Amino acid sequence: MSGRSSKDEDDARKEFKDLLFYDQGNDKYGQKVKDMIFNRTKRLILNLDDLRSWNADRTRQLMKNPTLYLGAYQRGLKEVISEMGGRLDPQDLPSPEDLEEMKDTDTEYFIGVEGSFGSSHISPRQLGSHLIGSLVLIEGIATKCSLVRPKVVKSVHYCEKTEQQHTRYYRDALTISTIGNQSGVGFPTTSTYPTKDDNGNPLSTEYGLSVYKDHQTLSVQEMPEKAPAGQLPCSVDVIIEDDLVDSVKPGDRVQICGIYKAIPSKNQGAMFKTVIVANRVKQLTKEVAGPVLTDQDVKNIKQIAQSENPFDLLASSLAPSVYGHEYVKKALLLLLLGGMEKNLENKTHLRGDINVLLIGDPSTAKSQLLRFVLNTAPLAISTTGRGASGVGLTAAVVSDAETGERRLEAGAMVLADRGVVCIDEFDKMSEEDRIAIHEVMEQQTVTIAKAGIHTMLNARCSVLAAANPIYGQYNRQKKPTENIALPDR
């Protein structure tokens, strides 16, 4: 590290300690640090707006070069916690070992960032090479999650001949590590364990004394409703470590703050792979992406509500280019509005989503009605019976091409959580694939028990399906079940 970078890091560390100790007299962050000590948590959430009012230039430097300054802030946080812990009465701490843990050089504390990111608040599609190395805030939906693996940060080795211990610290291109009083940033080290000391004596690894941290990889895709029409949704890999692992499952809508980094790809020459190293993960609810209503919209809504029959008015306004089908349009309107979801005291879940199956002759505007629902609903995903499989609709366990490990990948119904799934040509689906979506329509969950992965994902969506009668045209001389004739009726 250059002398100037070292001086900037030292200045940033001292300024951050002042912010934690003094904080303009309101003791906001001082109380947060105390809560971290008593609750035994290791991540402090820093608001950019507070830092901007404290030092605007330092905020710009943090956004531009977060690796250097987050490392300095984490070192400063570690020193502040050690000093505050030393002033506290040991009897006030949850356990006597906490004070020793706070002063241990192998204990790490982390900084998460929130607040106003301005032009750095983007979607995965807007990530570009000009943002590499900077702090970004993205929103998307998690589509893949790897298993949680331990990653070594410190190994201890013992030499029987000399009866001495040897310690080695590890750092990769993604790490901001302060273990062992290291600087927050530095060059990557080798990942191989030493087998001999400098004199050629054999070493044995002391796994119990070594230090590891949890490591997990996510794939975050842009929101389906925000992806441009006719284009594939863009995604980005996200690295989460330590206390952030297992905070996200496939299908969750998340807001992730992290450092956008480029790492060399295998056997691709000058091409680089880009990832986001997360420092904060926040769950988003579906309501966040709801419509923005103007004053005129509110007036129109109130005017419709006061009309004589608003239900008929709304139903006739649904797919106005399609003539007739009054009852079908009313059913689709009820599907879009949904029912009342209930969670009873005895843990029973009563779904509020409505599922609709449209059976009709060819050229009766079934696909046009599906297309209108697809364009009207805030979140809707379309598929066809021919091109949909059971695992494509629910979830699948796939092998990662780079690491070879198993990972969970969400299907269309999990991605459409709190939305609508439109399935055209429903009668062309195979019986096995149709049975796979029964659990979603009844229990609104997807249960996975494959390749040693056992989990349950939320799929709280309405299903709108369209199919042709078994004879091509509806035969009024036969019963409805004989006309529909789905194999699993």
Side-chain angles (χ1 to χ4, degrees), residues 156-324:
V156 179
H157 309 272
Y158 177 71
C159 179
E160 295 182 1
K161 187 173 182 179
T162 61
E163 297 184 350
Q164 289 184 344
Q165 278 189 349
H166 299 264
T167 301
R168 172 175 287 189
Y169 292 95
Y170 299 85
R171 181 199 300 274
D172 58 17
L174 308 175
T175 301
I176 301 177
S177 178
T178 57
I179 283 186
N181 290 326
Q182 299 180 90
S183 170
V185 62
F187 292 108
T189 62
T190 179
S191 59
T192 56
Y193 272 23
T195 56
K196 295 181 180 180
D197 63 6
D198 296 337
N199 299 322
N201 299 317
L203 297 174
S204 60
T205 303
E206 298 286 351
Y207 293 100
L209 299 177
S210 301
V211 179
Y212 304 86
K213 63 179 176 182
D214 293 328
H215 178 89
Q216 189 180 23
T217 304
L218 306 175
S219 182
V220 177
Q221 188 181 94
E222 65 179 325
M223 305 281 191
E225 66 271 19
K226 294 183 179 179
Q231 298 186 28
L232 291 174
C234 290
S235 61
V236 62
D237 287 338
V238 178
I239 307 295
I240 55 176
E241 294 181 332
D242 296 289
D243 57 324
L244 295 180
V245 299
D246 269 346
S247 59
V248 178
K249 61 180 183 295
D252 286 347
R253 291 166 175 266
V254 292
Q255 183 186 76
I256 293 178
C257 172
I259 306 172
Y260 189 48
K261 288 195 172 186
I263 56 178
S265 296
K266 296 180 182 177
N267 305 323
Q268 294 210 5
M271 301 298 291
F272 283 78
K273 176 185 176 182
T274 54
V275 297
I276 292 178
V277 184
N279 57 56
R280 183 178 67 90
V281 177
K282 178 185 177 184
Q283 295 273 355
L284 294 179
T285 60
K286 182 63 189 73
E287 285 71 21
V288 173
V292 179
L293 300 178
T294 63
D295 293 340
Q296 186 61 40
D297 293 332
V298 175
K299 291 180 181 178
N300 293 338
I301 291 172
K302 290 182 178 179
Q303 183 177 355
I304 293 174
Q306 294 172 357
S307 61
E308 291 185 3
N309 200 337
F311 183 65
D312 289 342
L313 176 61
L314 293 174
S316 61
S317 302
L318 193 138
S321 61
V322 178
Y323 178 77

Side-chain angles (χ1 to χ4, degrees), residues 253 285-287 341 343 349 353 378-379 413-420 444 458-462:
R253 291 166 175 266
T285 60
K286 182 63 189 73
E287 285 71 21
E341 182 181 0
N343 292 302
H349 173 74
D353 295 310
L379 170 60
M413 300 185 109
V414 178
L415 297 180
D417 188 35
R418 299 294 188 190
V420 180
Q444 297 200 306
N458 287 325
R460 297 159 294 187
C461 59
S462 299

Side-chain angles (χ1 to χ4, degrees), residues 319-332:
S321 61
V322 178
Y323 178 77
H325 295 314
E326 290 84 2
Y327 291 106
V328 175
K329 291 183 177 181
K330 289 181 179 180
L332 295 183

